[in-house]
Protein backbone atom coordinates (compact mmCIF):
# COMPACT_ATOMS: atom_id res chain seq x y z
CA UNK A 1 0.00 0.00 0.00
CA UNK A 2 1.27 3.45 -0.90
CA UNK A 3 1.94 5.94 1.87
CA UNK A 4 -0.55 8.81 2.12
CA UNK A 5 2.16 11.44 2.59
CA UNK A 6 -0.18 13.17 5.05
CA UNK A 7 0.51 14.02 8.66
CA UNK A 8 -0.83 16.00 11.59
CA UNK A 9 1.03 17.49 14.51
CA UNK A 10 -0.45 16.51 17.86
CA UNK A 11 0.17 18.15 21.19
CA UNK A 12 2.03 15.68 23.35
CA UNK A 13 -0.67 14.66 25.85
CA UNK A 14 -3.08 13.50 23.13
CA UNK A 15 -0.81 10.48 22.76
CA UNK A 16 0.50 10.47 26.32
CA UNK A 17 -1.95 11.70 28.96
CA UNK A 18 0.68 10.95 31.63
CA UNK A 19 2.33 14.29 30.82
CA UNK A 20 -0.63 16.29 32.14
CA UNK A 21 -0.70 17.92 35.57
CA UNK A 22 -1.51 15.10 37.99
CA UNK A 23 -5.24 14.85 38.63
CA UNK A 24 -6.24 16.61 35.40
CA UNK A 25 -6.48 13.82 32.86
CA UNK A 26 -9.34 11.39 32.60
CA UNK A 27 -7.58 9.35 29.93
CA UNK A 28 -5.58 6.27 30.87
CA UNK A 29 -2.88 6.62 28.27
CA UNK A 30 -3.83 8.20 24.95
CA UNK A 31 -7.02 9.73 23.53
CA UNK A 32 -7.96 6.65 21.55
CA UNK A 33 -10.69 8.42 19.55
CA UNK A 34 -8.12 10.75 17.97
CA UNK A 35 -5.76 7.89 17.19
CA UNK A 36 -8.56 5.75 15.69
CA UNK A 37 -9.74 8.63 13.49
CA UNK A 38 -6.26 9.35 12.18
CA UNK A 39 -5.52 5.67 11.52
CA UNK A 40 -8.84 5.39 9.68
CA UNK A 41 -7.90 8.43 7.56
CA UNK A 42 -4.38 7.11 6.88
CA UNK A 43 -2.79 10.18 8.42
CA UNK A 44 0.57 9.97 10.22
CA UNK A 45 0.95 11.47 13.71
CA UNK A 46 3.83 13.67 14.80
CA UNK A 47 3.90 14.05 18.58
CA UNK A 48 5.11 17.47 19.72
CA UNK A 49 7.01 17.75 23.02
CA UNK A 50 5.25 18.85 26.22
CA UNK A 51 6.84 22.20 27.23
CA UNK A 52 5.32 22.18 30.73
CA UNK A 53 6.62 18.70 31.53
CA UNK A 54 10.09 19.47 30.17
CA UNK A 55 10.36 22.81 31.99
CA UNK A 56 8.54 22.04 35.23
CA UNK A 57 8.34 18.26 35.57
CA UNK A 58 5.52 15.90 36.43
CA UNK A 59 5.13 17.27 39.99
CA UNK A 60 4.22 20.76 38.71
CA UNK A 61 1.08 22.56 39.89
CA UNK A 62 -1.64 23.54 37.45
CA UNK A 63 -0.67 27.04 36.30
CA UNK A 64 -2.18 29.85 34.26
CA UNK A 65 -1.05 31.59 31.09
CA UNK A 66 0.40 34.71 32.73
CA UNK A 67 2.78 32.48 34.73
CA UNK A 68 4.11 30.94 31.54
CA UNK A 69 4.25 34.27 29.75
CA UNK A 70 7.95 34.83 30.42
CA UNK A 71 10.77 35.45 27.94
CA UNK A 72 12.50 32.25 29.09
CA UNK A 73 9.46 30.01 28.63
CA UNK A 74 8.65 31.56 25.25
CA UNK A 75 12.25 31.06 24.10
CA UNK A 76 12.15 27.48 25.38
CA UNK A 77 8.92 26.85 23.42
CA UNK A 78 10.60 28.12 20.25
CA UNK A 79 13.66 25.93 20.86
CA UNK A 80 11.44 22.88 21.41
CA UNK A 81 9.54 23.48 18.18
CA UNK A 82 12.54 24.15 15.93
CA UNK A 83 13.42 20.48 15.21
CA UNK A 84 9.77 19.94 14.18
CA UNK A 85 9.87 23.02 11.97
CA UNK A 86 12.89 21.52 10.20
CA UNK A 87 10.98 18.27 9.64
CA UNK A 88 7.93 20.13 8.30
CA UNK A 89 10.04 22.09 5.84
CA UNK A 90 11.72 18.94 4.56
CA UNK A 91 8.45 17.01 4.27
CA UNK A 92 6.73 19.90 2.48
CA UNK A 93 9.63 20.41 0.08
CA UNK A 94 9.29 16.75 -0.90
CA UNK A 95 5.55 16.71 -1.56
CA UNK A 96 4.25 15.63 1.83
CA UNK A 97 1.25 17.42 3.35
CA UNK A 98 0.78 18.63 6.89
CA UNK A 99 -2.98 18.62 7.42
CA UNK A 100 -2.85 20.69 10.62
CA UNK A 101 -1.94 20.91 14.26
CA UNK A 102 -4.23 19.66 17.04
CA UNK A 103 -3.92 21.43 20.40
CA UNK A 104 -5.74 21.25 23.72
CA UNK A 105 -8.32 23.93 24.42
CA UNK A 106 -8.07 25.40 27.90
CA UNK A 107 -4.34 24.77 28.28
CA UNK A 108 -2.17 27.81 29.13
CA UNK A 109 0.49 26.29 26.87
CA UNK A 110 -1.30 24.36 24.11
CA UNK A 111 -4.73 26.07 23.94
CA UNK A 112 -5.95 26.95 20.45
CA UNK A 113 -9.28 28.78 20.93
CA UNK A 114 -9.09 29.28 24.65
CA UNK A 115 -6.70 29.26 27.53
CA UNK A 116 -6.92 29.99 31.26
CA UNK A 117 -5.60 32.90 33.30
CA UNK A 118 -5.90 34.44 36.73
CA UNK A 119 -4.01 36.23 39.50
CA UNK A 120 -1.99 33.15 40.33
CA UNK A 121 1.34 32.73 42.12
CA UNK A 122 3.01 33.67 45.40
CA UNK A 123 2.65 31.95 48.77
CA UNK A 124 -0.31 29.68 49.50
CA UNK A 125 -0.18 29.59 53.28
CA UNK A 126 -3.82 29.82 54.36
CA UNK A 127 -7.06 28.46 52.94
CA UNK A 128 -8.32 32.08 52.46
CA UNK A 129 -5.48 32.87 50.08
CA UNK A 130 -6.08 29.60 48.26
CA UNK A 131 -9.74 30.41 47.68
CA UNK A 132 -9.03 34.04 46.75
CA UNK A 133 -6.61 32.92 44.05
CA UNK A 134 -8.85 30.16 42.70
CA UNK A 135 -11.68 32.72 42.35
CA UNK A 136 -9.56 34.76 39.94
CA UNK A 137 -9.31 31.94 37.37
CA UNK A 138 -10.91 32.89 34.07
CA UNK A 139 -11.22 31.55 30.55
CA UNK A 140 -9.50 33.65 27.92
CA UNK A 141 -10.31 33.19 24.26
CA UNK A 142 -6.74 33.20 23.04
CA UNK A 143 -3.94 30.75 22.33
CA UNK A 144 -1.57 29.18 24.81
CA UNK A 145 2.09 30.26 24.91
CA UNK A 146 3.52 27.28 22.97
CA UNK A 147 0.95 27.70 20.18
CA UNK A 148 1.67 31.45 19.97
CA UNK A 149 5.39 30.74 19.61
CA UNK A 150 4.75 27.99 17.03
CA UNK A 151 2.63 30.43 15.03
CA UNK A 152 5.37 33.03 15.21
CA UNK A 153 7.96 30.58 13.83
CA UNK A 154 5.61 29.34 11.11
CA UNK A 155 4.88 32.92 10.06
CA UNK A 156 8.58 33.73 9.85
CA UNK A 157 8.95 30.71 7.55
CA UNK A 158 5.84 31.49 5.44
CA UNK A 159 4.10 28.28 6.47
CA UNK A 160 0.35 28.26 6.95
CA UNK A 161 -0.79 25.52 9.25
CA UNK A 162 -4.48 25.15 10.18
CA UNK A 163 -5.07 24.68 13.92
CA UNK A 164 -7.74 22.64 15.69
CA UNK A 165 -8.45 22.86 19.43
CA UNK A 166 -9.56 19.60 21.01
CA UNK A 167 -12.01 20.05 23.88
CA UNK A 168 -11.60 17.16 26.29
CA UNK A 169 -14.67 18.18 28.33
CA UNK A 170 -16.98 17.34 25.38
CA UNK A 171 -14.90 14.80 23.54
CA UNK A 172 -17.59 13.26 21.37
CA UNK A 173 -18.50 16.62 19.79
CA UNK A 174 -14.87 17.55 19.56
CA UNK A 175 -13.97 14.38 17.66
CA UNK A 176 -16.82 15.07 15.21
CA UNK A 177 -15.34 18.57 14.77
CA UNK A 178 -11.89 17.09 14.24
CA UNK A 179 -13.21 14.77 11.52
CA UNK A 180 -14.79 17.74 9.71
CA UNK A 181 -11.61 19.80 10.13
CA UNK A 182 -9.50 17.00 8.61
CA UNK A 183 -11.90 16.46 5.71
CA UNK A 184 -12.02 20.19 4.94
CA UNK A 185 -8.25 20.58 5.09
CA UNK A 186 -7.71 17.47 2.96
CA UNK A 187 -10.07 18.80 0.31
CA UNK A 188 -8.46 22.24 0.32
CA UNK A 189 -5.01 20.62 -0.02
CA UNK A 190 -6.15 18.54 -3.00
CA UNK A 191 -7.81 21.62 -4.64
CA UNK A 192 -4.51 23.48 -4.37
CA UNK A 193 -2.58 20.75 -6.21
S1 LIG B 1 -1.65 20.60 26.96
FE1 LIG B 1 0.45 20.88 26.26
S2 LIG B 1 1.60 21.50 28.06
FE2 LIG B 1 -0.33 20.63 28.78
S3 LIG B 1 0.15 18.49 29.16
FE3 LIG B 1 -0.65 18.63 27.08
S4 LIG B 1 1.19 18.82 25.83
FE4 LIG B 1 1.80 19.29 27.93
Amino acid sequence: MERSKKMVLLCHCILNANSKVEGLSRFQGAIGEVVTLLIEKGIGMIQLPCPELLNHGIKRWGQVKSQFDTPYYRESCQQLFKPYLHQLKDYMKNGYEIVGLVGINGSPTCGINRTCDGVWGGEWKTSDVWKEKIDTIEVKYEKGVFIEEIQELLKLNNIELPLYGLDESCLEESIKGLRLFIEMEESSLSNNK
Side-chain angles (χ1 to χ4, degrees):
M1 197 178 284
E2 268 191 42
R3 63 177 70 184
S4 72
K5 295 194 166 184
K6 288 178 187 165
M7 283 155 275
V8 290
L9 296 173
L10 298 177
C11 280
H12 186 93
C13 58
I14 294 173
L15 297 179
N16 177 26
N18 294 296
S19 64
K20 282 183 176 292
V21 168
E22 286 182 344
L24 267 192
S25 180
R26 58 192 182 86
F27 303 101
Q28 257 197 316
I31 306 181
E33 291 85 340
V34 175
V35 178
T36 305
L37 173 61
L38 294 171
I39 290 175
E40 178 202 316
K41 293 270 175 204
I43 296 175
M45 297 165 240
I46 300 178
Q47 184 184 29
L48 292 171
C50 172
E52 290 184 25
L53 181 80
L54 292 168
N55 278 285
H56 303 288
I58 194 57
K59 298 308 290 181
R60 67 191 185 280
W61 291 109
Q63 288 173 244
V64 296
K65 184 176 175 183
S66 49
Q67 289 175 300
F68 291 132
D69 189 8
T70 66
Y72 174 83
Y73 192 69
R74 285 189 176 277
E75 171 69 26
S76 145
C77 285
Q78 289 218 2
Q79 291 305 328
L80 287 173
F81 185 67
K82 276 184 183 162
Y84 296 85
L85 177 65
H86 299 152
Q87 290 177 48
L88 296 193
K89 287 164 90 171
D90 188 50
Y91 275 131
M92 290 162 98
K93 190 175 89 184
N94 290 290
Y96 289 72
E97 293 168 342
I98 312 299
V99 179
L101 183 159
V102 184
I104 300 289
N105 275 346
S107 161
T109 297
C110 299
I112 304 285
N113 313 99
R114 63 183 161 78
T115 181
C116 62
D117 214 342
V119 186
W120 212 240
E123 271 293 337
W124 295 64
K125 279 184 181 155
T126 65
S127 54
D128 293 359
V129 177
W130 180 267
K131 186 173 177 329
E132 235 171 66
K133 294 194 189 213
I134 284 180
D135 287 346
T136 69
I137 294 186
E138 59 175 334
V139 171
K140 281 202 175 155
Y141 294 95
E142 50 191 62
K143 294 176 177 54
V145 173
F146 189 32
I147 303 298
E148 285 177 347
E149 293 307 315
I150 288 175
Q151 274 204 313
E152 186 63 30
L153 284 177
L154 292 173
K155 198 170 148 201
L156 284 172
N157 287 274
N158 296 316
I159 297 174
E160 274 191 39
L161 196 60
L163 306 176
Y164 183 80
L166 202 68
D167 189 338
E168 295 168 304
S169 61
C170 51
L171 192 63
E172 205 180 320
E173 279 306 301
S174 206
I175 296 292
K176 281 185 196 157
L178 179 59
R179 179 182 286 277
L180 275 177
F181 168 83
I182 288 170
E183 289 172 358
M184 272 171 53
E185 293 312 324
E186 280 186 308
S187 107
S188 104
L189 285 169
S190 65
N191 289 341
N192 291 338
K193 274 183 186 168

